[in-house]
Amino acid sequence: MQEFLNRENVVRGTLLFIVCTFAGLFISFLWSGGQDIKQVFREMRIEMLLGACLAMFVDWFFGALRFHIFIRKVTPTIRFRDSLRANLATLCVSAITPFQTGGVGHLYIYTRTGVPLSGAITSGIICFLSTLVTLILCAGVILWLDPPFLPKGATWVSLFSFLMFGLVFTSFLLLLFKPEFVFRFFHWLCDTAQRRFKRLAPVLERATLKVEQLTNEHKTFATMFLRDHKWTCALSIPLTCGFIGARIVGSYIVVQALNGDTTLWELCVIGLVLNFVVLFAPSPGASGVAEVVMDSLMKNLLSKDLITPFVLLTRFFSIYCAVVVGGIIISLQVTKDFRNNKKDVSKDAML
């Protein structure tokens, strides 16, 4: 995991995130007619943004608490501060990797605090399933209600997203309940690769043994959670609703700060559809895609001159801040690991 979070990968992902974000904001600016954004910011009620900042902290709190209730069952000595760090690391890595594959972030932080890797993987899988279940149910209700303020294309996009969600949901259910099926597939891939690339055989054999070990340990933790901690698994759903709800409330406060006229219910629908549609966007952190989709969803609710500032501020509080703080947390942990490794090497040399 530390190799995955090396400097080159982080820099490359961050640059791609920034480029895609600016591209999305630029498209949003063009679609909204290129109005005078400076005038909008001059008339904005800046003091209202303190509420959006508070909603951002609530978002981080619920996300960390959702991880924490599972990790505490695996490692009772874990501190909530470490879960908060793990959550922010995940948000950061999600933003700089394609398809928001941020699981490496919380795995990296947790393993450095003494949590077994397989236990952190199991907790991450259950948390991600909670996100999928919450968004699928909410999107189904919205699709059934078919609110008139949603653009016509949103229905078709949601139907396509249902297909993607179904595939990913099935895959993660297999990971949770039948991990041996996934291991068999991985074993088949390794066997095939070994026959074609004989030089990689030792590496693939070690990888197979490691995956088999993690699979067995993961199955043990999954059985423990599902048999002995059912209420903990159920609690992850309202905690998921908590951090999604905090982001929606934050976007509502942004609208009020911009002197907009959108209701909380309308933003609730928009926020849920947005999260549902962009969860598997191929760009890092859904950058570019999220800005364009948000612009399209808000065109019937806000005046053109408010849309781009709304998109910018909403993404700032929901993603951009988490990327910066999470990046600092990962950098500090990587630096600490490097120093510890350097000390260990020096001690071994002295012996």
Side-chain angles (χ1 to χ4, degrees):
M1 284 177 290
Q2 189 169 351
E3 291 77 9
F4 178 82
L5 293 173
N6 61 41
R7 182 178 179 181
E8 291 75 15
N9 287 338
V10 171
V11 170
R12 188 185 302 113
T14 302
L15 288 176
L16 188 56
F17 171 77
I18 293 173
V19 169
C20 292
T21 296
F22 274 106
L25 291 172
F26 181 70
I27 293 173
S28 172
F29 178 73
L30 292 180
W31 279 6
S32 62
Q35 301 293 327
D36 187 3
I37 296 180
K38 291 183 179 180
Q39 182 64 28
V40 174
F41 280 115
R42 276 196 290 265
E43 297 176 355
M44 181 176 64
R45 293 182 288 172
I46 299 177
E47 67 279 1
M48 292 287 293
L49 296 182
L50 292 175
C53 188
L54 177 61
M56 177 184 69
F57 290 134
V58 173
D59 170 9
W60 295 356
F61 173 82
F62 275 108
L65 185 59
R66 189 177 65 160
F67 278 135
H68 194 66
I69 61 173
F70 290 105
I71 295 298
R72 284 276 294 179
K73 306 300 181 183
V74 178
T75 307
T77 57
I78 198 74
R79 297 170 297 181
F80 181 75
R81 183 180 68 181
D82 294 321
S83 293
L84 185 60
R85 292 170 60 232
N87 181 53
L88 287 166
T90 288
L91 292 174
C92 175
V93 177
S94 295
I96 62 176
T97 52
F99 297 99
Q100 304 185 64
T101 50
V104 175
H106 83 269
L107 296 180
Y108 176 63
I109 297 297
Y110 274 137
T111 53
R112 292 304 183 272
T113 57
V115 178
L117 176 59
S118 51
I121 290 174
T122 305
S123 302
I125 290 174
I126 298 176
C127 288
F128 189 66
L129 281 172
S130 301
T131 300
L132 290 178
V133 169
T134 302
L135 291 179
I136 286 175
L137 292 177
C138 291
V141 172
I142 291 171
L143 197 63
W144 176 65
L145 292 175
D146 192 19
F149 53 83
L150 280 179
K152 294 181 180 179
T155 301
W156 293 105
V157 173
S158 296
L159 289 174
F160 173 76
S161 298
F162 266 112
L163 175 62
M164 294 297 299
F165 266 72
L167 293 174
V168 176
F169 186 68
T170 302
S171 301
F172 272 80
L173 281 179
L174 286 175
L175 278 173
L176 183 62
F177 293 104
K178 296 292 182 181
E180 61 272 12
F181 287 172
V182 180
F183 172 72
R184 289 174 189 170
F185 178 70
F186 179 81
H187 195 279
W188 174 79
L189 285 177
C190 287
D191 285 343
T192 304
Q194 286 178 26
R195 287 194 295 270
R196 297 191 62 180
F197 308 100
K198 294 183 179 180
R199 292 182 180 179
L200 296 177
V203 176
L204 293 174
E205 287 178 4
R206 289 196 297 269
T208 302
L209 292 175
K210 184 64 176 178
V211 170
E212 184 177 10
Q213 176 190 350
L214 288 175
T215 301
N216 292 331
E217 293 176 358
H218 159 67
K219 191 172 182 179
T220 301
F221 282 119
T223 302
M224 177 193 73
F225 282 125
L226 295 173
R227 287 183 179 177
D228 303 330
H229 303 289
K230 296 183 180 67
W231 286 110
T232 302
C233 297
L235 182 59
S236 65
I237 299 293
L239 291 178
T240 302
C241 295
F243 75 75
I244 293 176
R247 294 180 185 181
I248 292 171
V249 171
S251 66
Y252 176 73
I253 294 174
V254 169
V255 169
Q256 299 305 306
L258 293 172
N259 300 301
D261 192 26
T262 307
T263 66
L264 182 59
W265 160 246
E266 291 170 336
L267 284 173
C268 183
V269 171
I270 295 298
L272 291 171
V273 171
L274 175 70
N275 281 279
F276 183 73
V277 170
V278 305
L279 185 61
F280 301 114
S283 63
S287 55
V289 178
E291 285 81 5
V292 172
V293 172
M294 193 183 299
D295 182 286
S296 177
L297 292 173
M298 293 299 297
K299 67 181 183 181
N300 294 333
L301 299 176
L302 288 178
S303 58
K304 289 184 177 181
D305 56 331
L306 295 182
I307 290 180
T308 300
F310 168 79
V311 172
L312 174 61
L313 289 172
T314 300
R315 291 283 287 173
F316 174 81
F317 287 110
S318 62
I319 296 296
Y320 305 157
C321 284
V323 172
V324 174
V325 178
I328 293 173
I329 289 171
I330 292 174
S331 299
L332 291 174
Q333 186 64 53
V334 170
T335 302
K336 182 180 178 181
D337 292 343
F338 176 76
R339 289 175 179 172
N340 291 337
N341 292 336
K342 195 173 181 180
K343 289 180 181 178
D344 292 339
V345 171
S346 299
K347 289 180 180 178
D348 292 340
M350 293 176 64
L351 294 175

